[in-house]
Amino acid sequence: MKRAVCFFVVAALLFQFASPVEGAGWKIDNTLKLHFVYLPAEDKTVSGASLPTRSFMKPWLKNIPAFAPDIDNIVYKNIFELGFPLPVREDAASLKLYLKLYEWPVQLSSLRSSKKIFDVFLLHGIPGGRRLYQSAKRPSNVLVKYASIEPAKRVFSEQQPFIAPEIPKQWEFDANVPFSSIYVSPNKISRRGNEADQARASTQGVVEFHAALSRLYEKSLHLLHASAEKRYFADFRRCSDKSGEICAVRIYEMPVVPLVFGNYRDLPMPQDAEKVFLSGLLLVKVTDYLAHSPIPFEQLKKMQPGTDAFKASFRADWSHMLEVGSVFDMR
């Protein structure tokens, strides 16, 4: 049974709305859910003797064995080089990032975890964004995607299972979520044309989401640098005692255009690898940087993120990658 997914994609967020938001051009997909990827700071092994006395998360997908990961083809080197904020591993080429979906634990606040991410990306400011917050209030609309970094040759079985993790504390969970996913669709799903036409039409929600977020960032943030592929927006944090100098900066990385996959059939989703395929993807990354020493505002405005000069002046303090994707659902 196929259960692969594009190596840098991690399924998604999908909520059901009563009606589309006027002017949004996109709506939350009602098939999948909001996913928060939880990667514990340290590996936790659980002995069989302790299982009855502990509380564990419940697998969400029923079409994949409980002992197996839902996504098992993400080469760690590949996803790391795409800029996902994951820990450095010297043997990255021989490792994989295994992922499995679990029901949201009732002990955790789904709204608190969601709001922390939504606020950072300013999602409340785009048309339709407020409904993300409303949906996240219901734990049934949110899933945990547990991540495990293990050898690529790892074999999962009932004897050597992908062990359901113990439910973490709220602060522990929120502090260890490197990326999350939202899946959207256009307000009206087109069934016109051939299969390729329909697949392309399914990406229009991502295109509209990207356009709305771009307009918001252009209005609310400073465009620090732009290339043919990506734009870098900045939110400066001035020093408390020196208003003309910067002590920290939040950088938003956004592609000029979202990805639209003509090879969607090569990108099956684990929900149904025969009929659900990834068709579009937008990756937006936010990183908080702290200055090693105060930097004059006019000097920082000329810096390009990622260059040696920028790295010499700042250190990354926190980062998160937000995936906004679309699926072509043939069911």
Side-chain angles (χ1 to χ4, degrees), residues 296-318:
F297 180 62
E298 293 301 321
Q299 178 182 340
L300 177 55
K301 287 197 302 182
K302 300 176 183 179
M303 283 188 179
Q304 177 181 341
T307 61
D308 291 340
F310 188 90
K311 294 177 181 178
S313 301
F314 292 93
R315 66 173 179 85
D317 182 57
W318 177 86

Side-chain angles (χ1 to χ4, degrees), residues 144-174:
V144 173
K145 180 170 283 181
Y146 183 81
S148 180
I149 305 170
E150 301 186 56
K153 296 181 179 180
R154 167 85 150 90
V155 176
F156 297 91
S157 65
E158 292 184 352
Q159 291 72 35
Q160 296 180 316
F162 186 102
I163 299 176
E166 185 179 4
I167 297 173
K169 303 293 185 181
Q170 182 80 49
W171 67 266
E172 181 184 11
F173 179 85
D174 291 341

Side-chain angles (χ1 to χ4, degrees), residues 175-191:
N176 293 286
V177 179
F179 57 103
S180 55
S181 307
I182 301 173
Y183 268 54
V184 300
S185 63
N187 281 341
K188 295 182 179 180
I189 298 181
S190 174
R191 297 299 180 186

Side-chain angles (χ1 to χ4, degrees), residues 222-257:
H222 177 85
L223 180 59
L224 191 61
H225 177 74
S227 67
E229 296 80 24
K230 189 178 293 187
R231 295 196 292 173
Y232 297 83
F233 295 92
D235 183 7
F236 303 109
R237 303 290 194 269
R238 297 180 184 272
C239 301
S240 59
D241 56 342
K242 298 178 181 180
S243 60
E245 295 184 329
I246 302 299
C247 283
V249 62
R250 173 170 286 175
I251 299 294
Y252 295 74
E253 300 179 35
M254 175 182 282
V256 174
V257 294

Side-chain angles (χ1 to χ4, degrees), residues 38 40 44 46 54-58 102-109 144 146 163-170 172-173:
Y38 173 56
K44 294 182 177 180
V46 181
R54 297 192 178 188
S55 180
F56 294 87
M57 291 188 277
K58 298 178 181 179
Y102 293 91
E103 296 177 10
W104 187 265
V106 295
Q107 295 93 327
L108 304 184
S109 167
V144 173
Y146 183 81
I163 299 176
E166 185 179 4
I167 297 173
K169 303 293 185 181
Q170 182 80 49
E172 181 184 11
F173 179 85

